[in-house]
Amino acid sequence: MDIPANWTQTIESVDWSQIAKKVEDYGPAISVLRETWSKETLQEMAAGKVFVPDDVLNEAIKKQIPADGNVAAIRLHGQENGRLYVRIETRKKDAVELTGEIKEFCHRGDTSYMVYHVRERNLPGHGLMSWVFSRISLSMAERLVGRIETPEGIPVTIHGNTVRVDCSAALSESDFGKTEFQGHRLLDMVEIDSARPKEGGIELQTKLDVPDDVQDALKNVLKEKAEASE
C-alpha cells in the first residue's frame, strides 16, 4: 500500500478518538488501530521498515515473565553485525548468554513464525529455551499487532542450534487478529518479510496489504475529518 504524502500529513493531524465517535460502523476497528499503531509506526510501515528498539522489546518481555516462574529476567540487544544478543537470568541466579541470527521472521495471513539460529554453542535446557524464544517472537510482533495474550503451549521446535516458533494461533487470537474492517481481517493487511537486528534494536521488513475498498473507506474518513477541521 503506497500512502501519498498528503494522506500521511492528514493522518498526522487526525484525532483517532473523534473518528471512532463519528464513524460508528468503523468504531471497533478504528479503536483497535488507534491503540495498536502510533502515527510513527504507521509511517514506518508505509515505508516498509519498522524499527523496534531494545527497550520496547525488553519492556514487552518483562510483562510476560510470571512472578513465580523460573525466569527472573530476559534482556535483548540488537547488534550492528546483525546478531541478536540474549541474556536469560533465572531465579537460581544462573545466567545464560546467547548470540545468534534471526534467520526468518514471517507473517502472512494465518502463517506467523520465527526461526533463530544460535551461534557458537549448543542450546541448553530445551524447555527453558522454548519458553524464552516464544516470548521473544511475540514481543517482536506486538509492535505491529498490539498486545498479545501469551498462551501456554506455543509450538516450538528445536533442532541442534536452531529454534522455530510458530506464532500463528497466538496472533489469530489477539484483539488485532479477531478484528475486521469492511469484512477484512486487520491481521491479513499486515505482512512481515524479515527481521534484522541492528545496533539498539530490530528492524522489521513490512508491507501493508490493504484491499482497495478498505483504502477507499479510510481515505473517505480521513478526508471528511480533514474537511471538517478546515
Side-chain angles (χ1 to χ4, degrees), residues 154-207:
I154 294 177
V156 179
T157 55
I158 299 177
H159 293 293
N161 285 12
T162 300
V163 184
R164 187 184 192 278
V165 181
D166 188 337
C167 310
S168 306
L171 266 64
S172 294
E173 289 301 312
S174 68
D175 288 343
F176 193 90
K178 293 185 288 188
T179 300
E180 295 186 354
F181 190 103
Q182 294 283 91
H184 303 280
R185 292 193 313 169
L186 297 182
L187 197 62
D188 294 330
M189 301 182 199
V190 180
E191 295 185 4
I192 305 173
D193 292 327
S194 65
R196 177 177 173 77
K198 293 191 170 185
E199 182 60 38
I202 297 174
E203 183 178 84
L204 306 178
Q205 297 289 324
T206 65
K207 178 182 177 182

Side-chain angles (χ1 to χ4, degrees), residues 202-222:
I202 297 174
E203 183 178 84
L204 306 178
Q205 297 289 324
T206 65
K207 178 182 177 182
L208 284 172
D209 186 12
V210 182
D212 290 342
D213 57 337
V214 174
Q215 289 192 47
D216 291 340
L218 286 172
K219 288 176 183 177
N220 287 335
V221 170
L222 293 171

Side-chain angles (χ1 to χ4, degrees), residues 3-217:
I3 298 181
N6 60 345
W7 195 35
T8 302
Q9 292 170 2
T10 303
I11 288 172
E12 291 180 345
S13 65
V14 165
D15 182 340
W16 290 97
S17 62
Q18 292 304 312
I19 287 182
K21 293 176 183 177
K22 183 178 179 181
V23 190
E24 185 176 354
D25 290 344
Y26 301 158
I30 293 294
S31 179
V32 170
L33 289 173
R34 178 166 52 90
E35 292 173 2
T36 303
W37 295 342
S38 66
K39 295 168 186 174
E40 293 75 18
T41 298
L42 183 56
Q43 289 177 316
E44 285 184 285
M45 290 173 66
K49 295 180 180 180
V50 176
F51 187 73
V52 189
D54 290 339
D55 58 353
V56 172
L57 288 167
N58 289 322
E59 183 62 27
I61 292 175
K62 181 180 178 180
K63 294 177 181 178
Q64 300 182 49
I65 298 176
D68 57 352
N70 182 38
V71 175
I74 301 172
R75 299 292 298 175
L76 308 180
H77 175 60
Q79 300 179 327
E80 189 59 40
N81 61 5
R83 296 186 184 181
L84 179 65
Y85 167 82
V86 182
R87 177 181 172 86
I88 307 151
E89 298 177 8
T90 71
R91 301 200 184 278
K92 296 179 180 179
K93 306 302 181 182
D94 298 326
V96 178
E97 295 183 329
L98 305 169
T99 59
E101 297 137 349
I102 301 173
K103 291 294 187 181
E104 297 180 72
F105 191 76
C106 172
H107 168 71
R108 293 188 188 91
D110 290 321
T111 302
S112 304
Y113 66 90
M114 181 188 80
V115 177
Y116 181 86
H117 181 72
V118 176
R119 305 276 299 190
E120 300 164 355
R121 65 167 298 169
N122 292 324
L123 278 169
H126 282 195
L128 174 63
M129 292 299 106
S130 294
W131 190 93
V132 167
F133 281 99
S134 65
R135 272 62 187 177
I136 290 173
S137 56
L138 292 179
S139 297
M140 291 165 57
E142 281 191 357
R143 181 75 167 193
L144 300 183
V145 302
R147 184 77 175 93
I148 303 171
E149 293 297 330
T150 309
E152 294 300 324
I154 294 177
V156 179
T157 55
I158 299 177
H159 293 293
N161 285 12
T162 300
V163 184
R164 187 184 192 278
V165 181
D166 188 337
C167 310
S168 306
L171 266 64
S172 294
E173 289 301 312
S174 68
D175 288 343
F176 193 90
K178 293 185 288 188
T179 300
E180 295 186 354
F181 190 103
Q182 294 283 91
H184 303 280
R185 292 193 313 169
L186 297 182
L187 197 62
D188 294 330
M189 301 182 199
V190 180
E191 295 185 4
I192 305 173
D193 292 327
S194 65
R196 177 177 173 77
K198 293 191 170 185
E199 182 60 38
I202 297 174
E203 183 178 84
L204 306 178
Q205 297 289 324
T206 65
K207 178 182 177 182
L208 284 172
D209 186 12
V210 182
D212 290 342
D213 57 337
V214 174
Q215 289 192 47
D216 291 340

